[in-house]
């Protein structure tokens, strides 16, 4: 299988090996040590402050999104949420379900957030800002420098969903004054699904202390308390956490987060340099390194491209759902992917040309 989906993604041999082992009991000093090392490496790779904390939840990325909303926001907040696709929409739904007062900035699919979009929200007493750094559904990378300037200027608490941006595009938790950063195990971390994590600034920790989240499983007060000794309140996805440890260690050994970012950047550039002559074009007007979204230009169904590559070539590109199902498909740059893998994909796409698969526009 050759997988260019945006999660789960291709794991390295060493991560796969950990996945094939027996899962150990976890209330031990050995496992605590693994967890404390995980915390330290994530904090470093997110370029976070020394006094920030990392908690690991058992649940996919959405669990961390919901935990961020219920533990760090309350009814006295007034939030801005960027909704430029299905993950922005998920944040908006969470704010609604949990009755956090909010206004949404709804963007056309594939479009970035601009200074003009932010201007009407200046000096209006907003207290929180939620954004998906890379809106993975369309591969749009938002301008975090601009967002961070805005939130700093307005004294706004910033929640950044970096599920597909962490380890693919630069992330500067401290410099950007981010309150909460969150990600999941099956995207650029390239492990099995099941774990999500949150990096919590001092301000986030203070909010968590003050706010009653009204939930037992996603209670971050408990998670922080247990985390002090490298433990979790309940049985975590131990196997996935051990994979994460192997993966983080390997990033560290290979030159740290910057080398990892450089690789994602190179893979995205390599793939994007080969797209001439096909009936699709890059859809995102501000492409993230994690994924390239491709819009069909000949009216042919994007979903059919996904299907034929899967069924006849054993290659998985990533289809889109909803309105974009027939218009857009995606090719990921997360996980254990190299130039030779993109060459295999290009060979398959060229073979489709030879076979007369592409329709005239
Ligand atoms: C994948 C993803 C999530 C989380 O999705 P899960 O299916 O719950 O893991 C959240 N935000 C973004 C931007 C994502 O790409």
């Amino acid at each position: 299988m050759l997988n260019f989906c945006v999660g789960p993604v291709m794991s390295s041999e060493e991560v796969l090996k950990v996945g094939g082992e027996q899962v150990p009991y976890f209330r031990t000093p050995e496992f605590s040590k693994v967890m404390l090392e995980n915390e330290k490496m994530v904090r470093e790779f997110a370029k976070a402050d020394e006094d920030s904390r990392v908690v690991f939840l058992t649940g996919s990325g959405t669990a961390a999104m919901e935990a961020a909303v219920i533990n760090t926001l309350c009814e006295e907040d007034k939030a801005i949420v960027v909704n430029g696709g299905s993950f922005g929409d998920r944040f908006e739904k969470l704010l609604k379900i949990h009755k956090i007062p909010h206004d949404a900035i709804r963007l056309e699919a594939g479009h970035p957030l601009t200074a003009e979009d932010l201007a009407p929200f200046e000096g209006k007493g907003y207290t929180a800002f939620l954004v998906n750094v890379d809106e993975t559904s369309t591969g749009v990378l938002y301008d975090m420098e601009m967002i961070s300037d805005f939130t700093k200027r307005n004294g706004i608490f910033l929640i950044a969903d970096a599920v597909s941006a962490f380890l693919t595009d630069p992330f500067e938790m401290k410099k950007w004054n981010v309150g909460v950063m969150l990600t999941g195990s099956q995207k650029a971390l390239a492990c099995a699904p099941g774990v999500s994590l949150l990096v919590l600034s001092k301000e986030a920790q203070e909010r968590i202390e003050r706010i009653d989240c009204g939930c037992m499983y996603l209670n971050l007060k408990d998670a922080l308390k247990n985390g002090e000794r490298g433990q979790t309140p309940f049985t975590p996805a131990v196997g996935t956490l051990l994979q994460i440890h192997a993966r983080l260690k390997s990033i560290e050994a290979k030159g740290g987060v910057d080398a990892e970012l450089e690789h994602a950047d190179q893979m995205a550039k390599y793939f994007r340099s080969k797209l001439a002559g096909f009936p699709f074009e890059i859809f995102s007007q501000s492409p993230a390194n994690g994924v390239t979204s491709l819009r069909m230009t000949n009216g042919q169904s994007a979903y059919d491209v996904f299907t034929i590559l899967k069924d006849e070539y054993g290659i998985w590109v990533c289809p889109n759902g909803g309105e974009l199902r027939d218009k857009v498909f995606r090719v990921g740059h997360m996980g254990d992917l190299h130039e030779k893998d993109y060459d295999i994909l290009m060979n398959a796409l060229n073979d489709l040309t030879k076979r007369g698969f592409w329709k005239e526009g």
Side-chain angles (χ1 to χ4, degrees):
M1 176 192 201
L2 182 53
N3 181 9
F4 296 95
C5 289
V6 295
V9 303
M10 303 285 281
S11 296
S12 65
E13 285 302 323
E14 57 193 321
V15 166
L16 290 177
K17 192 164 154 284
V18 175
E21 284 165 12
Q22 296 286 357
V23 178
Y25 178 65
F26 64 101
R27 300 283 186 211
T28 59
E30 289 80 7
F31 189 68
S32 291
K33 180 165 175 281
V34 164
M35 290 299 281
L36 292 171
E37 287 177 5
N38 279 351
E39 172 166 22
K40 183 168 170 289
M41 289 185 281
V42 169
R43 185 193 288 125
E44 186 185 319
F45 296 166
K47 313 230 161 135
D49 232 325
E50 280 300 313
D51 59 4
S52 62
R53 293 280 313 277
V54 183
V55 299
F56 296 84
L57 299 175
T58 291
S60 72
T62 308
M65 292 171 81
E66 187 149 23
V69 168
I70 65 178
N71 284 275
T72 68
L73 303 179
C74 66
E75 283 175 28
E76 274 105 65
D77 277 302
K78 194 168 130 184
I80 302 168
V81 57
V82 180
N83 181 347
S86 53
F87 293 106
D89 196 57
R90 194 168 300 178
F91 258 150
E92 191 180 345
K93 281 206 182 85
L94 284 166
L95 291 168
K96 187 151 180 264
I97 290 171
H98 296 292
K99 303 190 171 60
I100 310 296
H102 64 277
D103 288 300
I105 304 178
R106 299 211 178 86
L107 303 171
E108 204 179 315
H111 286 242
L113 181 77
T114 63
E116 294 76 67
D117 294 319
L118 287 179
F121 296 86
E122 200 85 52
K124 295 271 165 64
Y126 285 92
T127 61
F129 192 102
L130 296 89
V131 65
N132 320 96
V133 179
D134 167 12
E135 171 51 76
T136 322
S137 65
T138 54
V140 170
L141 181 72
Y142 294 122
D143 183 346
M144 287 302 292
E145 296 278 348
M146 177 186 75
I147 291 171
S148 146
D149 285 347
F150 172 82
T151 54
K152 280 181 191 161
R153 193 162 62 234
N154 287 277
I156 293 176
F157 183 69
L158 176 56
I159 298 177
D161 164 357
V163 176
S164 63
F166 180 56
L167 303 178
T168 57
D169 273 299
F171 189 85
E172 300 275 351
M173 178 113 181
K174 179 178 179 174
K175 182 169 158 227
W176 295 341
N177 198 29
V178 174
V180 179
M181 180 279 232
L182 63 97
T183 190
S185 55
Q186 86 278 21
K187 301 278 172 90
L189 266 172
C191 294
V195 169
S196 55
L197 62 89
L198 302 107
V199 188
L200 304 161
S201 69
K202 196 83 202 150
E203 188 184 354
Q205 294 165 48
E206 282 158 14
R207 279 178 168 261
I208 290 163
E209 198 46 53
R210 173 164 56 80
I211 290 166
D212 174 12
C213 76
C215 178
M216 188 170 81
Y217 200 71
L218 297 178
N219 186 316
L220 295 184
K221 247 191 278 262
D222 286 351
L224 280 167
K225 188 99 203 61
N226 280 262
E228 284 169 13
R229 56 184 178 105
Q231 286 289 324
T232 51
F234 316 106
T235 307
V238 177
T240 304
L241 287 163
L242 291 171
Q243 288 190 328
I244 290 175
H245 189 250
R247 169 79 165 122
L248 294 170
K249 280 275 185 203
S250 138
I251 294 172
E252 198 170 55
K254 287 181 190 151
V257 67
D258 294 335
E260 190 67 22
L261 296 177
E262 179 60 27
H263 178 73
D265 187 61
Q266 276 172 16
M267 290 308 101
K269 286 205 176 90
Y270 186 72
F271 173 67
R272 288 168 194 165
S273 72
K274 297 182 181 297
L275 300 179
F278 292 105
F280 43 76
E281 62 185 13
I282 296 176
F283 178 58
S284 166
Q285 295 188 5
S286 167
N289 280 339
V291 59
T292 302
S293 58
L294 297 159
R295 189 185 75 89
M296 301 304 297
T297 52
N298 64 348
Q300 200 163 356
S301 167
Y303 202 87
D304 291 348
V305 181
F306 158 71
T307 305
I308 196 166
L309 286 171
K310 170 171 70 68
D311 293 346
E312 296 184 27
Y313 297 86
I315 295 173
W316 295 61
V317 296
C318 200
N320 266 72
E323 269 174 32
L324 297 177
R325 180 185 183 275
D326 292 308
K327 299 193 178 108
V328 174
F329 68 97
R330 292 169 292 167
V331 173
H333 314 296
M334 291 181 265
D336 196 35
L337 288 168
H338 304 274
E339 287 187 3
K340 65 173 171 35
D341 300 309
Y342 290 96
D343 292 343
I344 294 171
L345 173 60
M346 295 322 296
N347 286 343
L349 291 169
N350 283 315
D351 192 54
L352 287 176
T353 305
K354 273 196 215 112
R355 290 169 58 188
F357 172 75
W358 308 114
K359 304 214 166 65
E360 291 297 320

